[in-house]
Amino acid sequence: MPEKSINIVIGGAAGQGLVTIGQLLSKAITRAGHHLLVTQRYMSRVRGGHNTYAIRMGEEDLLGGTESIDILAALNAETLEKHLNDLGKGGLVVAGADLDTAGLNALRIPYEELSSKKLFHNTAMLGVLGRAVNLDLAILEELLRQTFGKKGDEVVEANLDVLRKAYAWVSDQDHEFFCDIKSGGSKGRMMLNGNEAIGLGALAAGCNFVSFYPMTPSTGVAMTLIAKGAPLGLQYEQVEDEIAAMNMALGASYAGARALVTTSGGGFALMEEAVSLAGVSETPIVCVVVQRPGPATGLPTRTEQADLNLVLNSGHGEFPRAIFAPATPEDCFYLTHRAFDLAETYQTPIFILSEQYLADSYRAVEPFDLDGLPEVAGPLLEWKEGEYKRYRITDDGISPRLIPGFSEALVRADSHTHEENSAISEKKTTRVAMNSKRLRKESGLFEEVIGPDYYGQDNPDALLVCWGPNLGACLEALDRYEGDKSLAVLHFKQVFPLREEQFMDFLEGAGRVIAVEGNATAQFAQLIARETGFMVPDRILRFDGRAMTWEYVLKGLTDIL
């Protein structure tokens, strides 16, 4: 893990513009070739409430967030009250001259000297922070031109004037703290968060329909699809509720669309009957569930990993499914693409299980390899083999899926138990045959399971087992651990189905196995026990609504080992 990294936390109330400052600074850091990890914490309020925008900047790839602060940019007094205890040794406070920073290592910004209008105070803060981390002024200037260009030359020049004054003011200060983070990456990378990467992965897979009801923190997936997909012909609908969203998407899929729905736990609870409809009608659908803490409304703008059981057991009855849990924006892109292929191939619901931390965390990402993506499976448009039977019984359980309107064949779907030709039936032999046919698709899904990744020594004293975006915290804890035990990390990006032969040797070869999860009941450890019989005895669990960090993992290790 790189020691050459700093953590910048911008704090203030909702509506003060901290996200604007943070995004501009993050884009400049990315364009300068630095590595980047953004963590956002925001309250469920339109205005008021304390929010933070944390930017971790480094010379090498950054695995996860951190709790120690190197630069604290305070837009209000509450930020100082809440975060001074997290300021590291030698840390710098950046705040307006009107805030009390007595006794602190601080840059006190003279806002009134830099601009007579409060409107430009955020631009001044951007200039101060940009200079404090040694960003090229030209990069910041270009970002302001792009950001305010549509508002006219006068607005652009006014912002540039304040930016330059603030940048120069910092250069004139006799101050101890100025970081020197060298550029460690290419300058052609994209700044993407998890939601955006899921949206792009869906488009790369040919997604051309999304229906949704807005629900934090999942809405960004739909917004990305609309913004980037509409020019490509994508159809979208913001509906009255999640029940309508899932049913509308199933209708679109029946008609030949590659459809996606996106929601969070509370919204997904409303979708469950339609999830079951997808299972029995064998209709492909990709469902993105971006987790937040429950039950009910819970903490709507925080993060958690407590909906695994909900997705795993969703929909009444028995039918096949697969569940992916990406760790990074790259995972979000490629696993979403894969999810569409599996949904189309096996004609069943496939799930992307993300969470708020990943959804809202930006990283500097290399351009995706579009040419290397495999072709996504698709339905039939022609039928020339006699009577068409939508639910024909086959050895692998996959029936021919024909899209209505492209041939003379009659294409029917049904939510009841049905015969091969879709006719409703209550025969016990039909019931057994059709249920067995659908479940045979599990064998194909099983063969396509992506196994976990293993990091560290063989047969370690302690093995950290994690899933989803907890990977970064575990890897950095592995790197920073200074105890006398050997450690390793086993990370799952697909959490269902599980194939024992892909990971049991790792579990059985470790001295102690420790589940690292963002929930209170170790849901994934329970799933491993259910599927394999292997009990994971030790746990490091976090369910306070905050993301897992390497500090939190190391503290848990100290308590266990």
Side-chain angles (χ1 to χ4, degrees):
M1 182 60 221
E3 294 299 331
K4 275 286 190 179
S5 68
I6 61 168
N7 190 34
I8 308 158
V9 173
I10 306 167
Q16 280 195 287
L18 75 161
V19 173
T20 300
I21 299 170
Q23 287 192 341
L24 288 171
L25 185 63
S26 300
K27 288 179 181 179
I29 289 169
T30 302
R31 292 185 183 187
H34 301 292
H35 290 273
L36 169 91
L37 173 64
V38 169
T39 306
Q40 297 187 68
R41 294 180 180 176
Y42 49 95
M43 298 184 73
S44 182
R45 303 180 187 178
V46 176
R47 291 188 66 85
H50 181 66
N51 298 345
T52 62
Y53 192 103
I55 306 169
R56 196 173 183 197
M57 167 186 176
E59 293 183 4
E60 299 176 24
D61 192 22
L62 298 168
L63 303 175
T66 183
E67 297 177 16
S68 178
I69 299 173
D70 299 299
I71 299 179
L72 179 61
L75 301 183
N76 59 10
E78 186 180 12
T79 299
L80 298 177
E81 295 169 6
K82 288 183 175 292
H83 299 289
L84 275 181
N85 289 338
D86 296 324
L87 197 63
K89 184 179 179 180
L92 173 69
V93 172
V94 179
D98 58 319
L99 297 183
D100 183 9
T101 56
L104 301 175
N105 179 26
L107 280 175
R108 304 179 73 240
I109 306 173
Y111 284 123
E112 286 71 21
E113 293 180 20
L114 301 176
S115 172
S116 60
K117 295 183 179 181
K118 191 174 182 179
L119 177 66
F120 297 110
H121 287 189
N122 286 344
T123 301
M125 175 64 83
L126 175 65
V128 170
L129 291 175
R131 177 64 186 88
V133 297
N134 287 326
L135 292 176
D136 189 339
L137 177 60
I139 294 176
L140 296 167
E141 290 176 335
E142 181 60 25
L143 276 169
L144 286 187
R145 291 189 185 95
Q146 292 175 356
T147 302
F148 299 110
K150 293 182 179 180
K151 295 184 178 182
D153 293 342
E154 186 176 338
V155 173
V156 171
E157 289 305 318
N159 276 278
L160 288 174
D161 180 62
V162 174
L163 176 76
R164 291 162 183 158
K165 286 180 179 178
Y167 195 93
W169 175 81
V170 178
S171 299
D172 292 338
Q173 304 305 301
D174 181 17
H175 209 277
E176 295 180 2
F177 189 100
F178 290 103
C179 72
D180 185 23
I181 303 295
K182 295 181 175 60
S183 174
S186 68
K187 297 184 179 182
R189 292 173 297 167
M190 306 174 288
M191 193 179 98
L192 287 180
N193 63 30
N195 276 351
E196 292 169 341
I198 288 174
L200 295 177
L203 289 174
C207 175
N208 54 11
F209 184 86
V210 60
S211 51
F212 69 105
Y213 182 82
M215 188 173 189
T216 303
S218 67
T219 310
V221 176
M223 293 297 98
T224 299
L225 279 167
I226 293 168
K228 305 298 183 183
L232 303 175
L234 176 131
Q235 300 297 308
Y236 58 91
E237 190 69 32
Q238 178 178 321
V239 295
E240 63 271 23
D241 56 39
E242 287 85 356
I243 299 172
M246 179 61 86
N247 282 294
M248 185 177 289
L250 294 181
S253 181
Y254 168 75
R258 286 185 181 163
L260 176 144
V261 293
T262 181
T263 188
S264 191
F268 185 69
L270 294 174
M271 293 182 173
E272 292 212 43
E273 184 182 20
V275 170
S276 190
L277 172 60
V280 72
S281 64
E282 302 186 47
T283 304
I285 189 71
V286 173
C287 185
V288 179
V289 180
V290 185
Q291 299 167 97
R292 69 191 208 188
T297 306
L299 297 173
T301 60
R302 304 294 182 178
T303 199
E304 200 160 87
Q305 289 185 309
D307 290 343
L308 173 58
N309 286 340
L310 173 68
V311 173
L312 181 65
N313 300 297
S314 62
H316 51 290
E318 299 170 308
F319 53 91
R321 72 194 69 200
I323 308 172
F324 295 107
T328 64
E330 290 88 347
D331 281 352
C332 288
F333 179 85
Y334 291 109
L335 291 178
T336 301
H337 185 276
R338 185 175 181 82
F340 271 93
D341 184 46
L342 292 182
E344 292 283 335
T345 298
Y346 295 98
Q347 302 167 28
T348 200
I350 305 293
F351 300 94
I352 304 293
L353 190 55
S354 182
E355 61 180 84
Q356 181 271 328
Y357 165 67
L358 176 60
D360 292 332
S361 293
Y362 288 95
R363 292 177 185 261
V365 178
E366 295 288 347
F368 300 120
D369 180 14
L370 300 180
D371 293 334
L373 291 173
E375 186 176 350
V376 174
L380 302 173
L381 298 180
E382 295 182 331
W383 187 258
K384 299 178 181 179
E385 302 178 24
E387 180 187 1
Y388 173 67
K389 296 180 180 180
R390 171 64 186 93
Y391 300 112
R392 189 175 73 191
I393 293 176
T394 62
D395 291 340
D396 59 8
I398 301 172
S399 303
R401 176 172 167 247
L402 184 65
I403 300 303
F406 287 87
S407 69
E408 294 182 1
L410 176 62
V411 180
R412 296 186 294 177
D414 196 85
S415 65
H416 296 74
T417 292
H418 41 248
E419 302 287 354
E420 289 182 286
N421 65 357
S422 306
I424 297 173
S425 174
E426 294 194 11
K427 296 178 183 177
K428 61 182 181 181
T429 53
T430 299
R431 166 65 180 174
V432 171
M434 280 297 162
N435 224 38
S436 299
K437 180 196 89 71
R438 289 190 293 270
L439 292 177
R440 280 199 294 275
K441 292 188 282 188
E442 290 181 340
S443 297
L445 286 169
F446 188 78
E447 291 298 319
E448 302 208 43
V449 167
I450 299 174
D453 296 313
Y454 186 84
Y455 306 85
Q457 300 180 28
D458 293 336
N459 305 313
D461 295 322
L463 175 64
L464 302 176
V465 177
C466 61
W467 58 283
N470 285 343
L471 171 64
C474 288
L475 287 180
E476 190 163 355
L478 173 67
D479 191 75
R480 291 179 178 271
Y481 176 71
E482 296 179 348
D484 58 357
K485 306 291 185 181
S486 59
L487 300 182
V489 173
L490 184 66
H491 174 259
F492 289 78
K493 66 178 65 173
Q494 181 167 356
V495 293
F496 191 79
L498 296 176
R499 292 181 61 173
E500 292 185 46
E501 67 268 25
Q502 293 178 332
F503 59 85
M504 283 302 296
D505 287 346
F506 298 126
L507 298 181
E508 294 172 344
R512 302 185 76 158
V513 179
I514 304 167
V516 181
E517 300 193 43
N519 56 61
T521 57
Q523 292 183 19
F524 187 61
Q526 291 183 40
L527 177 59
I528 290 175
R530 190 192 84 177
E531 295 292 299
T532 70
F534 185 93
M535 303 299 295
V536 181
D538 296 305
R539 287 96 185 264
I540 298 174
L541 306 176
R542 186 165 198 174
F543 47 95
D544 57 5
R546 275 62 180 174
M548 195 72 72
T549 63
W550 63 269
E551 293 100 326
Y552 195 96
V553 175
L554 285 183
K555 182 181 183 303
L557 279 174
T558 300
D559 295 340
I560 293 171
L561 301 179

